Amino acid sequence: MKPFSLKLLLVLLASLTVHAAEPSHDRFSAVTQVMERFVSENVIAGGVTMIATSDKILHTSVTGYADLKTRQKMEKDSLMWIASMTKPIVAVAVLMLQDEGKLSVEDPVEKHLPEFKEMRLLADASNERQVTVPAPRKITIRDLLTHTSAVNELKAGPGRHNATLAELVMGYSQRPLRYPPGEKWEYNNPGINILGRIVEVVSGQKFEDFMDQRIFKPLGMKDTTFWPGKQQVKRVAKSYKVAQEGKGLEETPVFLVSGDLSDRTRTPFPAGGLYSTAGDIVKFYQMMLNRGEFKGKQLLSQKAVEEMTRTQTGDLKTGFTNGMSWGFGFQVVKNPIGVTEMLSPGTFGHGGAYATQSWADPKKGIIYVMMIQRAGFPNGDDSIVRKEFQKAAAAALSK
């Protein structure tokens, strides 16, 4: 029998030391398990979730695939179309300009965009005729921020894929309002696109340049863009929906995008044109939780943050799930119920068309970000994936 090797003994001791240093239980393991289950059940192709505080990321889970056909795995820095999660970022741009005294949320839109003077209200419509009357009051920037402006969609859609915001917004101004401004809440993409044009006119910069220079770069949101570059495109996750036969998933296009993803002539839609990563979105919400500050720099005033993240719509019924209200650009939880039952009143955030979700709970100081690319949910804000992710995350945080 050979004598016991000293080298082997040292290796065994090192192994025991490493094992002893590992945590016996990952309190967020249930979050990863939830997302893995949705991948295995073909509910989603893959996803990235992050749970964070105002200054650090507590947990990241990366599951499934960015491309089912090539079996390209999802990565922590996979880019995804965030769709309407673009809207709160645009609202921040508007409030930045208010901080600088260049506009007020109470301004009539026509102060900055004269084409909105003397707007008409649709009083009666049929296949044969449309009857309009003068609008009872002017549309304000507040109306645009809270989805109460009643601005109408373009009859034939946005037209060219490379329309400028000026052209797009001029089209909106020629359509009659759907109802008297401020009378009710109705989710309104044209209103957010108009805000983007106001940012251009008031700042004197192209909308996309203002967003990049004043928000993305200061926050280190290096992968947030309307036009992913050639290298970024390699990291863009494909979008999926339930296959026609009802089994598995099939690829589906991003309906807002036509042509080359990197084509910088394509319209930078303020209502939903951005691509981003989970890490970038966390940075945006960390700034909001820090009352407008990020790494020692005040990007947005504390007053603006407070106004954006409190209920601005009174008792109007708003949102896509029960118990919601609207701030400036953000949804705000008024009464936690159903999919928001694990969140505190005052939690603010926004979802996207392909079921991405981003929420910040200021009472608990927690950020929840879920990045998936899943079309076809009856209601992306009320998806079972969002609910189970948030439940698992909240349960882990309570341990």
Side-chain angles (χ1 to χ4, degrees), residues 360-374:
D361 185 331
K363 183 177 180 181
K364 298 176 181 175
I366 296 295
I367 298 163
Y368 305 84
V369 172
M370 183 183 82
M371 299 286 275
I372 61 176
Q373 294 287 265
R374 172 61 159 79

Side-chain angles (χ1 to χ4, degrees), residues 104-110 137-146 148-149 181 195 198:
S104 165
V105 298
E106 308 304 340
D107 285 346
V109 172
E110 67 179 48
R137 71 164 175 82
K138 302 177 188 299
I139 311 164
T140 65
I141 292 176
R142 171 184 287 273
D143 295 328
L144 300 177
L145 287 165
T146 57
T148 58
S149 70
L195 288 175
I198 290 174

Side-chain angles (χ1 to χ4, degrees), residues 122-168:
L122 185 62
D124 185 28
S126 66
N127 292 331
E128 292 77 29
R129 66 172 191 164
Q130 283 192 346
V131 177
T132 66
V133 298
R137 71 164 175 82
K138 302 177 188 299
I139 311 164
T140 65
I141 292 176
R142 171 184 287 273
D143 295 328
L144 300 177
L145 287 165
T146 57
H147 297 267
T148 58
S149 70
V151 177
N152 220 327
E153 291 279 1
L154 296 179
K155 197 168 185 179
R160 303 192 327 272
H161 82 285
N162 59 353
T164 66
L165 289 185
E167 292 170 329
L168 190 66

Side-chain angles (χ1 to χ4, degrees), residues 81 108 135 164 166 182 185 226 234 248 269 280 302:
W81 179 47
T164 66
W185 179 91
F226 292 100
K234 297 175 183 178
F269 288 106
D280 276 10
Q302 293 186 18

Side-chain angles (χ1 to χ4, degrees), residues 30 33 193 200 258 283 313 376 395:
Q33 291 166 11
N193 289 332
E200 283 191 329
S258 60
K283 291 174 183 176
T313 48

Side-chain angles (χ1 to χ4, degrees), residues 272-284:
L274 283 176
Y275 282 76
S276 191
T277 62
D280 276 10
I281 297 301
V282 164
K283 291 174 183 176
F284 175 73

